[in-house]
Amino acid sequence: MSQQQDGYTRVESPTEIEALLEALIEPGGASLQVSTPGSKPLPVLVMEQQPGAILVLDISAIREIVARQSV
């Protein structure tokens, strides 16, 4: 991993990426941060990941979003 100027760390090693994804898959391992002032991280579950293609998140635990979708 190498530290970038923008504060993010670039991860290119497949082994490191797999370890980080495994940590995200664990309960409480991932959250969604909405870029609005005062927003708090919202809990999500990582359901599926295909390298270079998709990342599927389960947002059903976020009442604010689920309530809007069902109206």
Side-chain angles (χ1 to χ4, degrees), residues 14-30 46 49:
T15 305
E16 289 180 80
I17 293 169
E18 184 177 353
L20 292 169
L21 285 169
E22 288 294 326
L24 288 173
I25 291 171
E26 295 296 320
V46 177
Q49 187 274 330

Side-chain angles (χ1 to χ4, degrees), residues 3-65:
Q3 186 69 32
Q4 303 294 315
Q5 288 183 337
D6 58 6
Y8 293 97
T9 302
R10 185 169 188 84
V11 181
E12 295 181 10
S13 163
T15 305
E16 289 180 80
I17 293 169
E18 184 177 353
L20 292 169
L21 285 169
E22 288 294 326
L24 288 173
I25 291 171
E26 295 296 320
S31 61
L32 182 65
Q33 181 71 45
V34 181
S35 63
T36 57
S39 66
K40 296 179 181 178
L42 303 167
V44 297
L45 294 174
V46 177
M47 301 299 293
E48 180 182 350
Q49 187 274 330
Q50 294 176 8
I54 64 169
L55 181 66
V56 178
L57 303 175
D58 176 356
I59 61 170
S60 62
I62 307 173
R63 294 180 193 175
E64 297 87 357
I65 293 175

